């Protein structure tokens, strides 16, 4: 909460697998800021464990946590993002989307599906697009977080117009 306040953000705690918590998150953000300009999709993962012995319930819970929560949160925020005229969706995912990680069978199984859905969404919504989003993530992995929106100019392929639109 303190860090969010320091940067002018709003921390709203909740469980994104619960529809009422997702609704409350969006309502609180819209109430505090008058709309939604940026939606950041980020969260924990399902329990660690091997692929052998997974239950259908564990798989369903992982899908609810990693995919369904993103899909429904985007659907709830999309009208506000469109209304802002500069709405953006940023998804922070695990490195397991590139290469499966040992003992993380549920994450390895579901997260690539999340990325597939996000790529489809990006094509449908237009805007920054997947290649620029991947360039931003790659830059951050190598150099750390951006301190200001102007730091985006250091990312190859991002022009001044796009950076100005995202300030």
């Amino acid at each position: 909460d303190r860090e969010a306040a320091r940067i002018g953000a709003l921390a709203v705690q909740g469980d994104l697998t619960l529809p009422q918590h997702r609704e409350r998150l969006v309502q609180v953000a819209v109430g505090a800021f008058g709309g939604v300009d940026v939606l950041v999709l980020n969260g924990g993962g399902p329990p660690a464990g091997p692929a052998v012995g997974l239950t259908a319930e564990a798989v369903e819970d992982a899908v609810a946590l990693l995919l369904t929560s993103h899909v429904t949160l985007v659907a709830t925020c999309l009208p506000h993002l469109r209304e802002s005229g500069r709405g953006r969706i940023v998804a922070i995912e695990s490195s397991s989307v590139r290469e499966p990680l040992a003992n993380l069978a549920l994450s390895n199984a579901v997260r690539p599906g999340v990325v597939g859905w996000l790529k489809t969404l990006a094509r449908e919504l237009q805007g920054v697009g997947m290649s620029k989003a991947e360039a931003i993530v790659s830059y951050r992995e190598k150099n750390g977080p951006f301190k200001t929106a102007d730091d985006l100019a250091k990312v190859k392929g991002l022009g001044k117009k796009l950076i100005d639109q995202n300030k």
Side-chain angles (χ1 to χ4, degrees), residues 98 128-143 146 152 154-158:
R98 293 181 187 213
V128 170
M130 204 59 197
S131 62
K132 290 180 183 173
E134 287 173 349
I136 292 168
V137 170
S138 178
Y139 181 91
R140 286 192 61 214
E141 286 176 351
K142 291 177 187 167
N143 302 292
F146 298 106
L152 287 166
K154 299 174 185 174
V155 178
K156 184 178 179 181
L158 298 186

Side-chain angles (χ1 to χ4, degrees), residues 16 39-45 65-66 69-70 73 90-94 111:
L16 293 181
L39 171 61
V40 178
L41 301 171
N42 186 24
L65 175 65
L66 298 173
S69 63
H70 284 12
L73 191 56
V90 177
I92 301 170
E93 289 298 325
S94 164
R111 288 188 194 269

Side-chain angles (χ1 to χ4, degrees), residues 93-161:
E93 289 298 325
S94 164
S95 60
S96 68
V97 301
R98 293 181 187 213
E99 182 68 28
L101 301 174
N103 204 42
L104 292 178
L106 289 168
S107 183
N108 295 337
V110 179
R111 288 188 194 269
V114 173
V115 172
W117 173 76
L118 288 166
K119 287 180 179 184
T120 302
L121 182 67
R123 286 185 188 129
E124 292 174 5
L125 295 178
Q126 304 296 312
V128 170
M130 204 59 197
S131 62
K132 290 180 183 173
E134 287 173 349
I136 292 168
V137 170
S138 178
Y139 181 91
R140 286 192 61 214
E141 286 176 351
K142 291 177 187 167
N143 302 292
F146 298 106
K147 292 183 179 39
T148 70
D150 291 324
D151 289 345
L152 287 166
K154 299 174 185 174
V155 178
K156 184 178 179 181
L158 298 186
K160 182 177 176 0
K161 181 179 176 185

